[in-house]
Structure formats: C-alpha cells, structure tokens
Amino acid sequence: FKSLIVSDYVEVLDEAAEKQFSAVSIELPNNMLYISFRGTDSSLVGWKEDLNMGFLRNVPSQIEAVKYLNKIAAKNNYKLVIGGHSKGGNLAIYAATFCNPKIQDRIISVYNNDGPGFCDKVVNSKQYEAILSRVHTYIPQTSIIGRLLNHKEETNILKSTQTGIMQHDLYSWQLVGKKFIRDELTNSSEFIDQTITN
C-alpha cells in the first residue's frame, strides 16, 4: 500500500448530538478513490448512536457521511468506491444512497462488511433502488450485526474462524488466495435474527 495517498481523515465525537463519525479517503491507481467509513468505536456515544439506528430514520453520522462523500467527490472527477465495516458499512450505503445524483453516477461499488440495514423508508426509497445493484454486502455465517434492520441487497455469506458475535471481527473471515471462502448461515444466526425481528 506504500504508493497509495491517504487524505481527508476526519473524526467527530459529539456527545450532545449523539454522533460518532470517522472517515478517510484513499487514492487508488487509475483515477479511483476509495472512501472508507469507520464503524463504532469504544465510546458510549458511538454505542448510543448505534441503538438510535433501531428507531430513527437517520442518525447524525449518516448525515455526516453524505456531507463527507459530497465534499470529497466534489474535489475531483475520480470514479468512486465506498465501503466500511459494521456501522461504517451502513454509512457507506447511506452516503451512496443520498449523495448528489451526479456523484452517485460515479460510484462503481459500495462495500458493506457486516453492517446493519435501514428502516423501511430508506430501503423503499427511489435513491436506495438507484444504488442497490452496486452494493456488495458480506456477512459471516453466524452474523448478528449485519442482519439487523432491513436489507434488499444480495448478501455474500463467508466462513469465519470465530464463533457467535466474535465473527463480526472481519479479520476472522477466511480467504483462499484473493477470494473469500463462502458458507451458509448457521441455525443460530437464523434464530437470533428471527428473535430480534420479532
């Protein structure tokens, strides 16, 4: 990664707004830019914002993610790849969904790594439908976080060396060469998802 240019790092922790947000941009070869959104940190504010996702249409970090994407993409004409893990994956999809339409046209792919979904209003919106074919979601076989709320995108299920909630650690996801090892959802993932949904 030594030749990649990393820029525009931001980190915001706002207790009053209940917002925990962080992002960075990485310039890739061939006039491409990867915008990476970080997931939840260890702060109480970050966890509270996660819980707020369960009943609010949007949370402050989602709005911040849209602003960040619009601001960074306006600086250049690069093709865009957007991604994140956990809440970062949710932010990546949200930003790609509600960004400026001209910027949305430049997005090649959106990578959601075990990130939660959205309320019905978001997944049923025209903007969400416009980006849906470019969203790639990856979850481990006993995913809990990545199955929360509503999803419409195709999901890739991966093998993990961990068990239960510890599979959320993407460093436990298994590869052969450059490809993930595919798997199926476990019975416990199905049971937990059904229980939470009910």
Side-chain angles (χ1 to χ4, degrees):
F1 303 113
K2 69 179 181 179
S3 61
L4 303 182
I5 298 170
V6 179
S7 65
D8 298 289
Y9 173 74
V10 296
E11 183 171 10
V12 179
L13 188 66
D14 186 334
E15 290 184 32
E18 296 177 355
K19 174 171 62 176
Q20 174 260 314
F21 174 80
S22 185
V24 67
S25 298
I26 305 164
E27 192 173 325
L28 304 173
N30 303 318
N31 293 322
M32 290 180 59
L33 188 69
Y34 181 81
I35 296 177
S36 175
F37 294 103
R38 188 174 74 194
T40 309
D41 63 12
S42 59
S43 70
L44 189 58
V45 172
W47 286 98
K48 188 168 185 184
E49 187 176 42
D50 288 353
L51 294 173
N52 290 344
M53 282 183 168
F55 60 89
L56 296 176
R57 183 179 184 273
N58 52 51
V59 294
S61 63
Q62 291 171 328
I63 304 302
E64 194 74 29
V66 174
K67 289 178 186 175
Y68 182 87
L69 174 56
N70 284 336
K71 178 183 173 186
I72 300 305
K75 293 181 178 183
N76 55 64
N77 290 315
Y78 291 169
K79 292 291 185 186
L80 304 168
V81 179
I82 305 167
H85 171 252
S86 195
K87 181 172 77 174
N90 174 283
L91 298 181
I93 296 173
Y94 193 91
T97 298
F98 295 107
C99 68
N100 180 311
K102 288 183 179 179
I103 291 171
Q104 190 182 70
D105 291 342
R106 292 166 42 201
I107 297 172
I108 297 170
S109 298
V110 182
Y111 291 96
N112 171 25
N113 299 302
D114 208 28
F118 303 93
C119 68
D120 285 332
K121 283 186 179 178
V122 172
V123 296
N124 293 326
S125 69
K126 285 188 256 183
Q127 297 98 318
Y128 184 87
E129 290 293 334
I131 198 70
L132 192 58
S133 65
R134 291 172 270 172
V135 174
H136 308 278
T137 291
Y138 296 89
I139 63 172
Q141 76 261 30
T142 309
S143 176
I144 297 169
I145 307 300
R147 298 192 70 197
L148 293 172
L149 302 171
N150 302 308
H151 295 264
K152 280 190 177 177
E153 74 275 15
E154 184 178 325
T155 302
N156 300 284
I157 303 159
L158 310 177
K159 183 155 188 67
S160 168
T161 56
Q162 291 285 358
T163 58
I165 191 72
M166 298 307 292
Q167 288 189 1
H168 189 57
D169 174 10
L170 53 77
Y171 290 109
S172 74
W173 301 355
Q174 295 300 286
L175 297 155
V176 171
K178 295 180 179 180
K179 295 190 176 185
F180 284 114
I181 300 174
R182 304 297 171 128
D183 208 327
E184 297 178 355
L185 288 171
T186 61
N187 290 336
S188 60
S189 178
E190 297 282 21
F191 174 76
I192 293 167
D193 182 58
Q194 188 62 51
T195 302
I196 291 172
T197 300
N198 288 341

